[in-house]
Amino acid sequence: MLAAGALVVSCADYNETDNFRAEPDPSVVIKYSDLAPVKTYIDRAQYPNMTLGAQLSVTEFNKQELAHAAAMTNFDDVAFGTSLMSGEIVNAKGVMNFLSMKDLLDHMEEIDGQVYGSPLFANANQADDWLNTLTAPIEIIVEYVEGKEVNFNEMPVGAYDGTIAKGKAAIVKYDNQNVLRISPSSSVNIIEGFEVDPLAKYTTTFWAKADKDVTFDVIFSGNPVTGSGSGGMWPLKQGRWTKIVVEAQSAEDVTDGYLQILTGRGITINIQKVQVGYYPDNHRPQTEQEKKDTINYAVNAWCEGVMKITEGRIQAFDLIAEPIDTKAIMDNGMFDIKHATDKIFWQDILGSENYAPVVASAARKYYEEYGGDPTELKFFISEKGLENPDVLESLMYWIGIWDSKGAKIDGINAKLNLTYNEDVAKQEANKATLNTLLDNLAATGKLVRLSNFDIKYVDAEGKTVAAKDITDAQRQQLADYYAYVIKQYMTKIPHDKQAGMCKGNMADTNDPVGLWSVNKSKDWVRTATYEAFCKALSGQ
């Protein structure tokens, strides 16, 4: 059905009810119905490495509906983007859920389909919670530290010189001893004047007595502490001295230590003998070597998990995605690779120069261990913004270092950001930028793959034209530019260095980027771009 002009699964060529037969209307002409599946137009003898790929989510692919049919009929391979990256697969405890990946690979094997591997390592869409768990501070044994003590029996009867935030409190004679009496509707600090460590756990004990059953609230250094009574209040039975134990940490950014009692209406509480102590933070940061060992473990665990599931069924991967930081220029004028201060980046632990060699070694090891042919394995580095020659030069600088240390990077996966512009001068500039990019990519001597191959349409006034608004004439201009890009790639990139092109979206989104438009019935209908792909790939 995908070989027909419209990919329609909701309608048959004709309908039949008993003896009534409705023939198709011969006046209805479906454009481009004479064209074969797109991938069949590639001359495999002349372009042995050329492939045409499409990107899909695992969820959409596994539905085995329109997108699945279009991809498998018209494209050589499917890329699944972030769907197969560690951020989607590994939880905080390091449990790896490969069920979706296994299902799609088993299905691909059944139908003789090919998968382009999602980035194995990147800065985004990584298992950040897992990495944070692995590199978290290590628990150690700590000793309890005695702190401040207050004995109200040693204070004279009279005014209380501690902090009374609200209401009244005083030192009074009660049960043959001096105590702190907190009046109803009051907020009073019963101990204070010590510094707190926000990471330490404090234990405050005091003795309390009331003449009737009461409840009260407690705040420790800005942090309300929940009790066992109704509404989280602290209960106190009448008639006997009761030892109260409050365990808490201070509120964030609070350094002044205190414990405050809050009484309600009609509630009076007597307090005696307050003590506070603490267990210091029982964690220490991991040493640099411990972190390095931990991240090396994570690299190997992740690579083994992926390669065990793939069993050599994926031969090409983005080893690392988007490593270049265009905001960080080194002393030699090259852009640095990305680094982080608020999260764990692999390269921050492994080292910039050892990053790719370490992860490539692990991936290659487990690829071969789980049945992959090492001669077929290809590693790419994907990057955006390569139309800027400085970005490409910096990428090649880092690839040179990584290769010299044994990474063996086979190719570059250039993420495109293309626009067709009705303004003639701007469109000529677009073409010049594209041609320079392809020339520079060809000069690297690496395999070259183009991904995110979608082109947006901008009118003469600089406004983006939506798929619902594009005219047939505009669609044809857009299609012609798609054909131009394909022809330039197949001409400028040496045949033995062509690693193919990957369509970002097969059908229109809000933008008219698709080989198919989507009609009101949600059917996919071939566009002029479909024809442009066929003609360009066949050399027309």
Side-chain angles (χ1 to χ4, degrees):
M1 297 187 73
L2 281 162
L7 172 57
V8 178
V9 297
S10 57
C11 304
D13 287 340
Y14 57 82
N15 299 313
E16 197 171 321
T17 304
D18 296 329
N19 295 323
F20 175 78
R21 181 184 179 93
E23 299 289 349
D25 185 348
S27 66
V28 176
V29 177
I30 301 177
K31 283 187 174 183
Y32 317 117
S33 61
D34 58 329
L35 296 173
V38 179
K39 66 184 179 182
T40 63
Y41 288 90
I42 301 174
D43 184 341
R44 305 292 178 178
Q46 186 177 2
Y47 301 98
N49 295 323
M50 179 63 185
T51 61
L52 190 63
Q55 181 161 315
L56 274 175
S57 71
V58 172
T59 300
E60 189 66 24
F61 181 82
N62 282 343
K63 290 179 182 177
Q64 298 189 28
E65 297 176 350
L66 280 176
H68 173 281
M72 299 317 302
T73 304
N74 291 276
F75 297 86
D76 294 304
D77 58 58
V78 182
F80 292 98
T82 62
S83 301
L84 300 183
M85 294 176 70
S86 64
E88 296 291 329
I89 291 174
V90 189
N91 70 13
K93 295 182 178 179
V95 177
M96 301 182 186
N97 183 354
F98 287 107
L99 290 177
S100 294
M101 184 187 291
K102 185 180 187 304
D103 286 346
L104 77 87
L105 287 173
D106 289 347
H107 175 60
M108 278 293 204
E109 190 172 25
E110 291 173 358
I111 62 176
D112 198 27
Q114 297 295 319
V115 175
Y116 182 86
S118 296
L120 292 171
F121 297 89
N123 304 312
N125 303 301
Q126 297 297 279
D128 293 331
D129 290 342
W130 181 42
L131 297 182
N132 288 336
T133 299
L134 289 175
T135 57
I138 296 172
E139 288 191 8
I140 57 176
I141 297 175
V142 294
E143 298 293 332
Y144 183 77
V145 178
E146 297 286 352
K148 190 171 184 178
E149 180 176 333
V150 175
N151 187 345
F152 295 112
N153 193 39
E154 297 175 351
M155 296 182 182
V157 171
Y160 176 53
D161 61 2
T163 299
I164 303 174
K166 175 186 174 184
K168 298 179 180 178
I171 305 298
V172 300
K173 199 73 163 180
Y174 180 75
D175 278 358
N176 298 317
Q177 60 180 328
N178 291 353
V179 302
L180 172 64
R181 174 166 293 170
I182 302 176
S183 300
S185 302
S186 298
S187 300
V188 179
N189 291 359
I190 64 172
I191 191 168
E192 60 188 358
F194 56 95
E195 291 187 359
V196 290
D197 178 350
L199 297 178
K201 296 179 180 178
Y202 287 80
T203 299
T204 306
T205 60
F206 60 92
W207 292 85
K209 183 178 178 181
D211 294 329
K212 63 179 180 178
D213 289 353
V214 298
T215 57
F216 57 94
D217 287 315
V218 172
I219 295 177
F220 180 79
S221 295
N223 181 25
V225 186
T226 302
S228 60
S230 176
M233 300 187 76
W234 291 75
L236 179 61
K237 294 291 185 181
Q238 68 171 345
R240 59 187 177 87
W241 285 98
T242 302
K243 184 179 182 181
I244 307 294
V245 180
V246 178
E247 295 183 334
Q249 289 179 280
S250 63
E252 188 175 359
D253 298 328
V254 173
T255 57
D256 293 332
Y258 64 88
L259 189 134
Q260 187 176 94
I261 300 295
L262 296 82
T263 58
R265 182 181 300 175
I267 295 174
T268 298
I269 298 177
N270 301 290
I271 305 293
Q272 181 53 278
K273 200 172 184 181
V274 186
Q275 293 176 306
V276 64
Y278 65 96
Y279 284 98
D281 179 26
N282 64 333
H283 297 85
R284 67 161 178 80
Q286 291 188 29
T287 65
E288 291 303 311
Q289 186 59 51
E290 286 170 337
K291 282 186 178 181
K292 187 175 181 180
D293 292 343
T294 297
I295 291 299
N296 270 291
Y297 158 78
V299 166
N300 281 273
W302 168 240
C303 288
E304 182 174 15
V306 171
M307 299 309 176
K308 184 176 182 179
I309 289 294
T310 58
E311 297 176 314
R313 292 176 289 184
I314 300 178
Q315 290 85 39
F317 292 87
D318 278 354
L319 179 68
I320 295 172
E322 300 182 18
I324 300 301
D325 185 353
T326 56
K327 297 180 180 179
I329 302 177
M330 300 185 295
D331 291 340
N332 62 3
M334 298 295 171
F335 291 124
D336 197 357
I337 65 172
K338 293 171 182 172
H339 297 281
T341 57
D342 59 342
K343 59 188 296 187
I344 300 296
F345 279 2
W346 305 95
Q347 59 270 31
D348 291 337
I349 308 299
L350 300 174
S352 299
E353 295 189 0
N354 292 321
Y355 177 25
V358 168
V359 298
S361 175
R364 191 174 290 112
K365 169 188 173 184
Y366 292 111
Y367 177 84
E368 187 171 356
E369 184 173 316
Y370 288 101
D373 182 348
T375 64
E376 295 180 345
L377 181 60
K378 298 289 187 292
F379 287 145
F380 290 76
I381 304 294
S382 63
E383 188 55 84
K384 62 184 180 181
L386 294 179
E387 60 272 9
N388 179 346
D390 292 339
V391 177
L392 180 55
E393 183 182 5
S394 296
L395 179 62
M396 289 308 300
Y397 165 79
W398 283 106
I399 288 176
I401 290 176
W402 294 335
D403 278 347
S404 71
K405 291 178 173 288
K408 190 181 176 293
I409 305 301
D410 299 284
I412 298 171
N413 182 8
K415 295 184 175 181
L416 301 177
N417 181 23
L418 301 178
T419 300
Y420 175 83
N421 202 304
E422 285 184 355
D423 184 292
V424 175
K426 291 180 179 178
Q427 182 55 21
E428 286 303 311
N430 287 342
K431 288 182 177 180
T433 298
L434 170 71
N435 289 329
T436 299
L437 169 63
L438 294 175
D439 287 337
N440 290 340
L441 287 169
T444 65
K446 298 288 186 181
L447 294 173
V448 176
R449 181 177 189 265
L450 302 183
S451 60
N452 193 37
F453 184 26
D454 289 348
I455 305 177
K456 294 184 178 181
Y457 192 101
V458 175
D459 65 19
E461 297 179 354
K463 296 180 180 178
T464 300
V465 177
K468 64 183 179 63
D469 299 323
I470 196 166
T471 66
D472 288 345
Q474 288 173 323
R475 178 78 80 169
Q476 187 60 57
Q477 289 177 305
L478 183 61
D480 291 343
Y481 191 40
Y482 270 109
Y484 178 84
V485 175
I486 294 170
K487 290 177 181 178
Q488 292 302 100
Y489 172 81
M490 297 179 76
T491 300
K492 289 180 174 292
I493 305 301
H495 295 187
D496 65 337
K497 299 300 181 184
Q498 292 176 6
M501 311 176 78
C502 182
K503 194 73 180 68
N505 290 280
M506 294 184 293
D508 285 351
T509 58
N510 290 331
D511 297 305
V513 296
L515 281 71
W516 292 267
S517 60
V518 182
N519 66 19
K520 292 181 180 179
S521 300
K522 303 299 182 183
D523 298 324
W524 287 20
V525 181
R526 288 178 181 177
T527 69
T529 299
Y530 189 104
E531 180 186 48
F533 265 69
C534 296
K535 288 183 176 181
L537 290 169
S538 64
Q540 297 182 43

